[in-house]
Tab-separated table of all heavy atoms in Angstrom:
chain	number	residue	atom	x	y	z
A	1358	SER	N	5.666	3.195	-13.353
A	1358	SER	CA	6.759	3.860	-12.657
A	1358	SER	C	6.306	5.269	-12.300
A	1358	SER	O	5.322	5.769	-12.856
A	1358	SER	CB	8.032	3.898	-13.515
A	1358	SER	OG	7.791	4.568	-14.734
A	1359	TYR	N	7.017	5.889	-11.393
A	1359	TYR	CA	6.597	7.187	-10.867
A	1359	TYR	C	7.689	8.233	-11.066
A	1359	TYR	O	8.871	7.910	-11.202
A	1359	TYR	CB	6.251	7.065	-9.378
A	1359	TYR	CG	5.070	6.165	-9.126
A	1359	TYR	CD1	5.229	4.781	-9.039
A	1359	TYR	CD2	3.784	6.676	-9.005
A	1359	TYR	CE1	4.146	3.940	-8.833
A	1359	TYR	CE2	2.699	5.846	-8.799
A	1359	TYR	CZ	2.879	4.479	-8.715
A	1359	TYR	OH	1.803	3.654	-8.522
A	1360	LYS	N	7.273	9.496	-11.057
A	1360	LYS	CA	8.226	10.577	-11.287
A	1360	LYS	C	9.138	10.802	-10.088
A	1360	LYS	O	10.229	11.338	-10.218
A	1360	LYS	CB	7.480	11.867	-11.632
A	1360	LYS	CG	6.786	11.810	-12.980
A	1360	LYS	CD	5.996	13.056	-13.269
A	1360	LYS	CE	6.874	14.244	-13.565
A	1360	LYS	NZ	6.093	15.416	-14.014
A	1361	ASN	N	8.684	10.417	-8.910
A	1361	ASN	CA	9.563	10.532	-7.743
A	1361	ASN	C	9.283	9.375	-6.786
A	1361	ASN	O	8.170	8.820	-6.770
A	1361	ASN	CB	9.399	11.895	-7.049
A	1361	ASN	CG	8.038	12.077	-6.426
A	1361	ASN	OD1	7.713	11.414	-5.438
A	1361	ASN	ND2	7.228	12.983	-6.979
A	1362	PRO	N	10.262	8.996	-5.988
A	1362	PRO	CA	10.131	7.813	-5.119
A	1362	PRO	C	9.062	7.962	-4.042
A	1362	PRO	O	8.513	6.954	-3.580
A	1362	PRO	CB	11.524	7.661	-4.499
A	1362	PRO	CG	12.172	8.990	-4.657
A	1362	PRO	CD	11.624	9.561	-5.924
A	1363	THR	N	8.741	9.184	-3.644
A	1363	THR	CA	7.733	9.390	-2.598
A	1363	THR	C	6.363	8.905	-3.052
A	1363	THR	O	5.610	8.319	-2.267
A	1363	THR	CB	7.648	10.881	-2.210
A	1363	THR	OG1	8.940	11.325	-1.789
A	1363	THR	CG2	6.659	11.088	-1.081
A	1364	GLU	N	6.050	9.131	-4.313
A	1364	GLU	CA	4.760	8.696	-4.842
A	1364	GLU	C	4.649	7.175	-4.827
A	1364	GLU	O	3.615	6.624	-4.433
A	1364	GLU	CB	4.580	9.236	-6.267
A	1364	GLU	CG	4.474	10.750	-6.340
A	1364	GLU	CD	4.518	11.268	-7.757
A	1364	GLU	OE1	5.027	10.562	-8.648
A	1364	GLU	OE2	4.041	12.394	-7.985
A	1365	LYS	N	5.691	6.509	-5.267
A	1365	LYS	CA	5.688	5.037	-5.252
A	1365	LYS	C	5.614	4.507	-3.825
A	1365	LYS	O	4.892	3.540	-3.546
A	1365	LYS	CB	6.936	4.492	-5.948
A	1365	LYS	CG	6.955	2.963	-6.043
A	1365	LYS	CD	8.189	2.466	-6.741
A	1365	LYS	CE	8.109	0.957	-6.993
A	1365	LYS	NZ	7.827	0.178	-5.783
A	1366	GLU	N	6.351	5.157	-2.928
A	1366	GLU	CA	6.336	4.740	-1.528
A	1366	GLU	C	4.928	4.818	-0.954
A	1366	GLU	O	4.493	3.940	-0.199
A	1366	GLU	CB	7.278	5.635	-0.721
A	1366	GLU	CG	7.357	5.280	0.759
A	1366	GLU	CD	8.245	6.237	1.537
A	1366	GLU	OE1	8.679	7.254	0.965
A	1366	GLU	OE2	8.488	5.972	2.731
A	1367	TYR	N	4.201	5.860	-1.330
A	1367	TYR	CA	2.832	6.044	-0.836
A	1367	TYR	C	1.918	4.919	-1.327
A	1367	TYR	O	1.165	4.328	-0.545
A	1367	TYR	CB	2.298	7.395	-1.292
A	1367	TYR	CG	0.879	7.665	-0.870
A	1367	TYR	CD1	0.559	7.924	0.462
A	1367	TYR	CD2	-0.164	7.644	-1.800
A	1367	TYR	CE1	-0.747	8.166	0.855
A	1367	TYR	CE2	-1.471	7.883	-1.418
A	1367	TYR	CZ	-1.760	8.150	-0.090
A	1367	TYR	OH	-3.059	8.378	0.290
A	1368	VAL	N	1.992	4.615	-2.616
A	1368	VAL	CA	1.150	3.553	-3.183
A	1368	VAL	C	1.508	2.200	-2.576
A	1368	VAL	O	0.617	1.412	-2.217
A	1368	VAL	CB	1.289	3.516	-4.723
A	1368	VAL	CG1	0.598	2.281	-5.297
A	1368	VAL	CG2	0.715	4.780	-5.341
A	1369	ASP	N	2.803	1.922	-2.436
A	1369	ASP	CA	3.235	0.663	-1.830
A	1369	ASP	C	2.761	0.562	-0.380
A	1369	ASP	O	2.398	-0.527	0.095
A	1369	ASP	CB	4.759	0.543	-1.880
A	1369	ASP	CG	5.281	0.292	-3.284
A	1369	ASP	OD1	4.470	-0.072	-4.160
A	1369	ASP	OD2	6.497	0.462	-3.508
A	1370	PHE	N	2.777	1.691	0.319
A	1370	PHE	CA	2.315	1.715	1.707
A	1370	PHE	C	0.832	1.352	1.793
A	1370	PHE	O	0.427	0.536	2.638
A	1370	PHE	CB	2.546	3.098	2.313
A	1370	PHE	CG	1.899	3.289	3.668
A	1370	PHE	CD1	2.447	2.737	4.810
A	1370	PHE	CD2	0.718	4.028	3.785
A	1370	PHE	CE1	1.845	2.908	6.056
A	1370	PHE	CE2	0.112	4.197	5.025
A	1370	PHE	CZ	0.676	3.638	6.166
A	1371	LEU	N	0.023	1.924	0.922
A	1371	LEU	CA	-1.415	1.619	0.925
A	1371	LEU	C	-1.653	0.138	0.662
A	1371	LEU	O	-2.503	-0.489	1.306
A	1371	LEU	CB	-2.140	2.466	-0.129
A	1371	LEU	CG	-2.219	3.966	0.127
A	1371	LEU	CD1	-2.951	4.653	-1.025
A	1371	LEU	CD2	-2.929	4.273	1.447
A	1372	TRP	N	-0.913	-0.424	-0.295
A	1372	TRP	CA	-1.078	-1.845	-0.599
A	1372	TRP	C	-0.688	-2.698	0.602
A	1372	TRP	O	-1.358	-3.669	0.930
A	1372	TRP	CB	-0.251	-2.233	-1.823
A	1372	TRP	CG	-0.319	-3.703	-2.126
A	1372	TRP	CD1	0.652	-4.634	-1.938
A	1372	TRP	CD2	-1.457	-4.423	-2.636
A	1372	TRP	NE1	0.209	-5.882	-2.312
A	1372	TRP	CE2	-1.078	-5.780	-2.744
A	1372	TRP	CE3	-2.736	-4.050	-3.021
A	1372	TRP	CZ2	-1.945	-6.762	-3.228
A	1372	TRP	CZ3	-3.610	-5.031	-3.491
A	1372	TRP	CH2	-3.217	-6.364	-3.585
A	1373	ASP	N	0.391	-2.340	1.269
A	1373	ASP	CA	0.844	-3.082	2.439
A	1373	ASP	C	-0.201	-3.025	3.555
A	1373	ASP	O	-0.473	-4.037	4.220
A	1373	ASP	CB	2.170	-2.513	2.930
A	1373	ASP	CG	2.731	-3.301	4.116
A	1373	ASP	OD1	2.999	-4.500	3.960
A	1373	ASP	OD2	2.873	-2.707	5.203
A	1374	VAL	N	-0.803	-1.856	3.750
A	1374	VAL	CA	-1.853	-1.708	4.764
A	1374	VAL	C	-3.043	-2.591	4.403
A	1374	VAL	O	-3.632	-3.256	5.265
A	1374	VAL	CB	-2.289	-0.236	4.892
A	1374	VAL	CG1	-3.521	-0.119	5.785
A	1374	VAL	CG2	-1.149	0.609	5.462
A	1375	PHE	N	-3.396	-2.593	3.125
A	1375	PHE	CA	-4.510	-3.433	2.675
A	1375	PHE	C	-4.230	-4.907	2.951
A	1375	PHE	O	-5.051	-5.607	3.557
A	1375	PHE	CB	-4.765	-3.226	1.183
A	1375	PHE	CG	-5.643	-4.285	0.574
A	1375	PHE	CD1	-7.007	-4.317	0.826
A	1375	PHE	CD2	-5.092	-5.290	-0.218
A	1375	PHE	CE1	-7.813	-5.314	0.285
A	1375	PHE	CE2	-5.886	-6.285	-0.761
A	1375	PHE	CZ	-7.250	-6.298	-0.503
A	1376	VAL	N	-3.067	-5.388	2.518
A	1376	VAL	CA	-2.720	-6.810	2.662
A	1376	VAL	C	-2.670	-7.213	4.136
A	1376	VAL	O	-3.209	-8.260	4.534
A	1376	VAL	CB	-1.375	-7.116	1.976
A	1376	VAL	CG1	-0.900	-8.526	2.316
A	1376	VAL	CG2	-1.498	-6.951	0.468
A	1377	THR	N	-2.036	-6.389	4.956
A	1377	THR	CA	-1.900	-6.692	6.384
A	1377	THR	C	-3.257	-6.851	7.050
A	1377	THR	O	-3.497	-7.813	7.801
A	1377	THR	CB	-1.090	-5.592	7.095
A	1377	THR	OG1	0.213	-5.509	6.507
A	1377	THR	CG2	-0.955	-5.895	8.579
A	1378	ASN	N	-4.156	-5.910	6.782
A	1378	ASN	CA	-5.485	-5.957	7.410
A	1378	ASN	C	-6.371	-7.037	6.793
A	1378	ASN	O	-7.181	-7.651	7.493
A	1378	ASN	CB	-6.165	-4.592	7.294
A	1378	ASN	CG	-5.625	-3.588	8.291
A	1378	ASN	OD1	-5.942	-3.642	9.476
A	1378	ASN	ND2	-4.790	-2.679	7.821
A	1379	TYR	N	-6.207	-7.291	5.503
A	1379	TYR	CA	-6.977	-8.348	4.846
A	1379	TYR	C	-6.631	-9.703	5.463
A	1379	TYR	O	-7.520	-10.496	5.813
A	1379	TYR	CB	-6.667	-8.343	3.354
A	1379	TYR	CG	-7.547	-9.244	2.522
A	1379	TYR	CD1	-8.666	-8.747	1.852
A	1379	TYR	CD2	-7.254	-10.601	2.369
A	1379	TYR	CE1	-9.469	-9.574	1.068
A	1379	TYR	CE2	-8.037	-11.436	1.594
A	1379	TYR	CZ	-9.147	-10.919	0.949
A	1379	TYR	OH	-9.939	-11.743	0.187
A	1380	LYS	N	-5.341	-9.974	5.605
A	1380	LYS	CA	-4.905	-11.247	6.166
A	1380	LYS	C	-5.290	-11.388	7.633
A	1380	LYS	O	-5.508	-12.502	8.127
A	1380	LYS	CB	-3.395	-11.396	6.004
A	1380	LYS	CG	-2.958	-11.597	4.561
A	1380	LYS	CD	-1.443	-11.771	4.464
A	1380	LYS	CE	-1.011	-12.066	3.032
A	1380	LYS	NZ	0.459	-12.200	2.916
A	1381	ALA	N	-5.372	-10.258	8.338
A	1381	ALA	CA	-5.713	-10.288	9.763
A	1381	ALA	C	-7.226	-10.294	9.991
A	1381	ALA	O	-7.683	-10.356	11.146
A	1381	ALA	CB	-5.095	-9.082	10.473
A	1382	GLY	N	-7.996	-10.249	8.904
A	1382	GLY	CA	-9.450	-10.232	9.041
A	1382	GLY	C	-10.001	-8.894	9.475
A	1382	GLY	O	-11.177	-8.796	9.858
A	1383	LYS	N	-9.201	-7.844	9.392
A	1383	LYS	CA	-9.653	-6.488	9.725
A	1383	LYS	C	-10.166	-5.827	8.443
A	1383	LYS	O	-9.600	-4.877	7.906
A	1383	LYS	CB	-8.506	-5.673	10.330
A	1383	LYS	CG	-7.814	-6.334	11.519
A	1383	LYS	CD	-8.763	-6.518	12.695
A	1383	LYS	CE	-8.038	-7.097	13.904
A	1383	LYS	NZ	-8.948	-7.352	15.053
A	1384	TYR	N	-11.272	-6.362	7.956
A	1384	TYR	CA	-11.745	-6.001	6.624
A	1384	TYR	C	-12.157	-4.537	6.454
A	1384	TYR	O	-11.921	-3.958	5.384
A	1384	TYR	CB	-12.885	-6.940	6.220
A	1384	TYR	CG	-12.459	-8.385	6.207
A	1384	TYR	CD1	-13.090	-9.326	7.021
A	1384	TYR	CD2	-11.403	-8.814	5.403
A	1384	TYR	CE1	-12.680	-10.658	7.025
A	1384	TYR	CE2	-10.989	-10.132	5.399
A	1384	TYR	CZ	-11.627	-11.053	6.214
A	1384	TYR	OH	-11.218	-12.363	6.215
């Protein structure tokens, strides 16, 4: 868990970017 929601939002955003590009073959 994080001390503020912005930090969690940032980490979740990075994971989403990773998954999106991984699935699209944009390695």
Side-chain angles (χ1 to χ4, degrees):
S1358 59
Y1359 296 84
K1360 292 177 72 173
N1361 66 69
T1363 303
E1364 294 171 338
K1365 183 180 188 306
E1366 181 183 8
Y1367 178 71
V1368 171
D1369 288 345
F1370 171 76
L1371 292 179
W1372 176 253
D1373 183 61
V1374 171
F1375 165 74
V1376 171
T1377 300
N1378 283 284
Y1379 189 97
K1380 290 181 176 178
K1383 307 297 184 183
Y1384 301 120

